[in-house]
Amino acid sequence: MLTAGQILQLIRHGTCRTRKQLIEHTGLSRSTITDRVDRLIDAGYIHESGVAMSGGGRPPSVLAVDATRRLMLVADLGAAHARVALTDLAARPLAEERTEMRIELGPEAVLSWVRQAFQRMLDKAGRAPGEVCGIGLDVPGSVDHNTGRLIRSFLMPGWDDHPVGEAFGAAYDVPIMVENDANAMALGEWWSKWRDTESLVLIKVSTGIGTGIVLNGAIYRGVEDAAGNIGHVRLRETDDRVCTCGSRGCVASLASGHAVATDLGHGSSRDVVRLVQAGDPEAIARTQEAGRTLGLVLATAVSLLNPGVLVLAGDMADTREHYLTGIREIVYRRSLPYTTANLEIVTTSLGDRAGIIGMAVIVMQRVLSPSAVDAALGVHGSAGRGRATD
């Protein structure tokens, strides 16, 4: 016996578009399907959007998710920026704000700005906080998904064990999701362009280096929520450069945007991008070398996961093909030919909006999950009647 939440999944994924198709696909009675569908319509989860082709008689109404009745608020927090968005229930942004802000200012300052930005976007859109059904934030660190607390981040002093999710609980009685930024970006890229790909790896190279992995449409986080820490693989333990984690010779201390900027006598990865885009030969050479250094580790990742696509994101994705060229050179040289035969190595299609889109998808998947929908509808266990036909 399928619940209303499970019926919604059939409509969401296009498996069934009409009541008749739901009856035929599930074997449930007409009265049971009518009950489930009417409850979903009354609660604003779905609506009738036109009619389908009919072989005779009255054309059946097409059922679709109502993406406009509920809203989501999401935030993408990087080492030096904060971006927020108000989206509909299809993860489509309706309004956005962005500011330059150092995350090392601490949770109180950063999250206060996010809360205020959320309210500004709702006010401008003429929508009420009560229309928000979920909130999501990504951060450049590892997160405990059970508590919404930051586990660890070398880029976020003062944030360890901070209850990020609780910062919004007083104003919004909705699910609050907290995620690693590279994970959110990876899911955003997969959702927007690569849904036919079973495995995607995204590498964010900016101040540091982070990696997000999507397997079969879901984020792979690892046992300790720490999967993707490629930036702290040690390549040269005798190197003089000390990484933010305190070790020497980490990939991040050799190949991140900050590392390249330091070698060139500048302060940030954005400085490197400007130099490369201006055609500075030293900056181009150092950028390509950094790409080759990261490629040494990524070649192992490719051999281990055999992904369909490798996406370069973050500031260094803006270096026109130069960082990517270094990655491609080493990955193709050091990986077995059959592991790279169908591998695409590309730059991000969403740019610096990948995290926002990914967080919206994460929240959407949570609030539209069968268990969440059934809980909202007050469904307990298998409700309804049996598999008779009317």
Side-chain angles (χ1 to χ4, degrees):
M1 180 64 65
L2 299 181
T3 66
Q6 292 167 325
I7 293 296
L8 176 61
Q9 307 315 305
L10 297 175
I11 299 170
R12 280 185 64 202
H13 300 304
T15 305
C16 300
R17 300 175 63 242
T18 66
R19 291 171 176 83
K20 180 180 179 181
Q21 289 176 353
L22 285 167
I23 293 169
E24 294 172 347
H25 182 81
T26 64
L28 295 174
S29 69
R30 183 180 302 276
S31 60
T32 299
I33 290 298
T34 297
D35 171 72
R36 303 287 192 270
V37 169
D38 286 350
R39 295 184 71 188
L40 291 170
I41 290 175
D42 291 344
Y45 284 106
I46 62 175
H47 62 166
E48 296 178 342
S49 60
V51 295
M53 294 292 293
S54 173
R58 182 180 178 181
S61 297
V62 173
L63 303 172
V65 173
D66 188 346
T68 62
R69 288 272 296 271
R70 289 173 168 82
L71 302 172
M72 301 184 295
L73 291 166
V74 290
D76 167 48
L77 306 180
H81 79 273
R83 180 188 290 272
V84 295
L86 174 69
T87 82
D88 66 13
L89 205 48
R92 294 180 298 234
L94 305 174
E96 294 186 36
E97 280 194 33
R98 187 186 189 282
T99 189
E100 299 295 321
M101 178 181 291
R102 302 295 304 182
I103 203 161
E104 61 196 34
L105 289 174
E108 295 302 326
V110 174
L111 296 179
S112 175
W113 181 87
V114 173
R115 284 194 299 269
Q116 294 170 21
F118 280 171
Q119 189 59 54
R120 284 194 299 271
M121 290 188 298
L122 286 170
D123 291 342
K124 290 178 182 177
R127 308 294 289 265
E131 297 178 75
V132 175
C133 64
I135 292 175
L137 301 93
D138 72 47
V139 294
S142 297
V143 173
D144 182 334
H145 290 85
N146 294 320
T147 65
R149 290 175 179 265
L150 196 74
I151 300 172
R152 68 186 70 84
S153 176
F154 305 115
L155 298 176
M156 302 173 67
W159 286 74
D160 283 359
D161 202 38
H162 187 82
V164 177
E166 294 179 15
F168 303 90
Y172 303 93
D173 184 20
V174 298
I176 300 172
M177 313 295 290
V178 186
E179 184 57 82
N180 168 263
D181 60 348
N183 285 343
M185 294 171 73
L187 188 63
E189 288 287 338
W190 177 82
W191 177 266
S192 299
K193 187 173 181 179
W194 303 101
R195 272 186 261 183
D196 292 334
T197 301
E198 292 184 3
S199 175
L200 174 148
V201 175
L202 177 139
I203 311 95
K204 178 189 178 185
V205 186
S206 294
T207 303
I209 296 176
T211 305
I213 303 167
V214 174
L215 300 177
N216 297 317
I219 295 170
Y220 177 73
R221 299 185 177 90
V223 175
E224 302 294 341
D225 285 312
N229 271 309
I230 279 181
H232 299 289
V233 173
R234 299 182 197 176
L235 291 181
R236 308 172 192 166
E237 295 195 23
T238 59
D239 195 277
D240 290 337
R241 283 168 285 198
V242 178
C243 183
T244 53
C245 70
S247 299
R248 297 179 183 274
C250 291
V251 176
S253 69
L254 304 171
S256 67
H258 177 73
V260 177
T262 299
D263 287 350
L264 295 172
H266 287 268
S268 72
S269 52
R270 295 310 303 171
D271 294 329
V272 177
V273 171
R274 284 190 285 271
L275 289 169
V276 170
Q277 291 181 349
D280 183 280
E282 184 182 3
I284 290 172
R286 180 65 187 87
T287 295
Q288 290 177 343
E289 179 59 30
R292 286 190 284 269
T293 299
L294 179 57
L296 293 172
V297 179
L298 291 180
T300 300
V302 166
S303 297
L304 182 66
L305 297 173
N306 190 206
V309 59
L310 202 62
V311 182
L312 174 64
D315 289 343
M316 298 304 283
D318 293 332
T319 58
R320 296 174 173 163
E321 290 278 312
H322 295 297
Y323 198 99
L324 197 67
T325 296
I327 291 175
R328 284 177 174 150
E329 176 186 332
I330 299 301
V331 168
Y332 287 128
R333 182 195 302 170
R334 297 213 171 205
S335 302
L336 289 171
Y338 68 85
T339 64
T340 58
N342 296 302
L343 174 65
E344 296 193 59
I345 304 178
V346 299
T347 53
T348 170
S349 62
L350 295 174
D352 58 6
R353 299 179 67 249
I356 283 291
I357 301 301
M359 280 312 308
V361 173
I362 289 169
V363 177
M364 175 187 70
Q365 291 176 337
R366 167 67 181 275
V367 300
L368 291 181
S369 68
S371 59
V373 172
D374 289 335
L377 295 177
V379 175
H380 302 286
S382 296
R385 290 170 287 278
R387 287 180 170 265
T389 57
D390 292 344

